Amino acid sequence: MYHRRAGSRPVGGCARRDCPGRSSEGRSRRPANARAGVFGRPVRAKDIRSIGLGLPGVVREGCFWHADKEGGLHSVAVEPALSRRYGVPVVLENDVNAAAIGFARCYETEFPGEDPAETNMAYLHFDRGCVSAGFVAGGRVIRGCGHFAGELGLVPTADGRLLDECLNDPQDGREYTARVLEAAVWVCGILNPRYIALGGPALRRECIGPVNDGLSALLPGPMCPELLYTADIWGDYQIGMAWLTAEKIFHMVQIIKK
């Protein structure tokens, strides 16, 4: 079973307090057992073998990390609370990471020659006030030491401001395209992805063509990724969480041929 946390946006990757649709102090301070109650009816009504939950913030060691109004970070032990209450394995994942996994699974289905173990891609999500990303390299999600990988909005731009700040300011199409291109070049220089998926409610779709042209002009052929647009981020998220949850159920199953 995968579940969208009540009151949250389906995707969004950061724990920064200034990002609309991210973790909020009011919701995050609810006791873990109170949040666990939202699962009571579906879990009791069906034979549930695992629970998957995508959260709009940092997920680490079974905890969801959120920021308060002063910018301090706090953790909520979501996975232990749900696991104790329902007695089934629980999967927690950052929602943009889940969307990246879902998009990669769909890409591999559309192009069967793709080897999932060799997937190298980036999933850039442009929300209102926040830019975040999910990275997959060698078939594995890149989370980083503190599980903060993908906070693109915190990277400084050429004029010294953070990318989030720049994209929040009014700007024409040329300026906006330059910012998106700058972020895409950073990702290519660090990850060298085979493809980059762009999406989110704040993405200006008309910039994709010029950004693609800019990448071709700036980068050598082996570094230049395929640039893709994802219109169904919620669908990507659902597929990713379903895949992660099913993997949790079957990871100990061994198939023996007679």
Side-chain angles (χ1 to χ4, degrees):
M1 179 179 76
Y2 51 86
H3 183 82
R4 172 182 172 185
R5 188 165 71 96
S8 72
R9 302 175 71 88
V11 292
C14 64
R16 303 198 291 283
R17 59 186 175 88
D18 57 339
C19 296
R22 309 301 184 182
S23 54
S24 70
E25 186 180 15
R27 285 197 303 270
S28 299
R29 287 191 174 180
R30 292 178 61 196
N33 59 356
R35 280 193 301 277
V38 303
F39 291 97
R41 184 172 298 175
V43 169
R44 288 192 295 268
K46 298 180 180 180
D47 182 19
I48 301 300
R49 300 298 179 90
S50 182
I51 295 173
L53 184 63
L55 296 171
V58 174
V59 174
R60 182 181 181 185
E61 297 176 350
C63 296
F64 170 54
W65 291 77
H66 65 94
D68 59 26
K69 291 182 179 179
E70 288 72 40
L73 285 174
H74 306 275
S75 66
V76 180
V78 178
E79 186 271 331
L82 288 174
S83 185
R84 284 195 304 268
R85 185 179 181 102
Y86 300 113
V88 296
V90 175
V91 179
L92 296 186
E93 185 55 88
N94 167 265
D95 48 6
V96 172
N97 284 345
I101 292 168
F103 188 91
R105 297 286 84 81
C106 291
Y107 189 92
E108 291 152 12
T109 300
E110 187 172 349
F111 301 98
E114 293 294 312
D115 182 358
E118 297 298 327
T119 297
N120 287 278
M121 60 88 70
Y123 192 102
L124 274 56
H125 178 253
F126 293 81
D127 207 342
R128 295 176 179 87
C130 188
V131 184
S132 51
F135 301 134
V136 179
R140 295 178 179 272
V141 175
I142 304 301
R143 297 180 176 88
C145 176
H147 288 222
F148 276 81
E151 298 287 0
L152 287 185
L154 296 179
V155 178
T157 61
D159 63 6
R161 294 185 300 157
L162 301 182
L163 181 61
D164 277 349
E165 295 178 286
C166 295
L167 291 180
N168 284 338
D169 290 343
Q171 51 194 317
D172 60 27
R174 182 184 60 81
E175 293 171 323
Y176 180 86
T177 297
R179 297 301 184 190
V180 177
L181 174 60
E182 191 172 9
V185 170
W186 295 334
V187 171
C188 292
I190 296 169
L191 187 66
N192 188 204
R194 174 165 184 169
Y195 58 90
I196 296 177
L198 302 177
L203 176 69
R204 300 184 192 178
R205 189 174 178 181
E206 64 273 14
C207 83
I208 295 177
V211 169
N212 188 61
D213 294 340
L215 289 173
S216 298
L218 290 171
L219 301 176
M223 282 187 67
C224 197
E226 181 182 8
L227 205 60
L228 305 172
Y229 170 70
T230 175
D232 188 11
I233 298 173
W234 174 235
D236 295 337
Y237 163 81
Q238 288 181 308
I239 292 168
M241 283 310 307
W243 188 85
L244 289 169
T245 306
E247 185 182 47
K248 188 73 171 181
I249 297 173
F250 297 115
H251 79 284
M252 295 187 67
V253 175
Q254 184 177 9
I255 300 174
I256 302 175
K257 292 184 179 180
K258 291 185 178 180

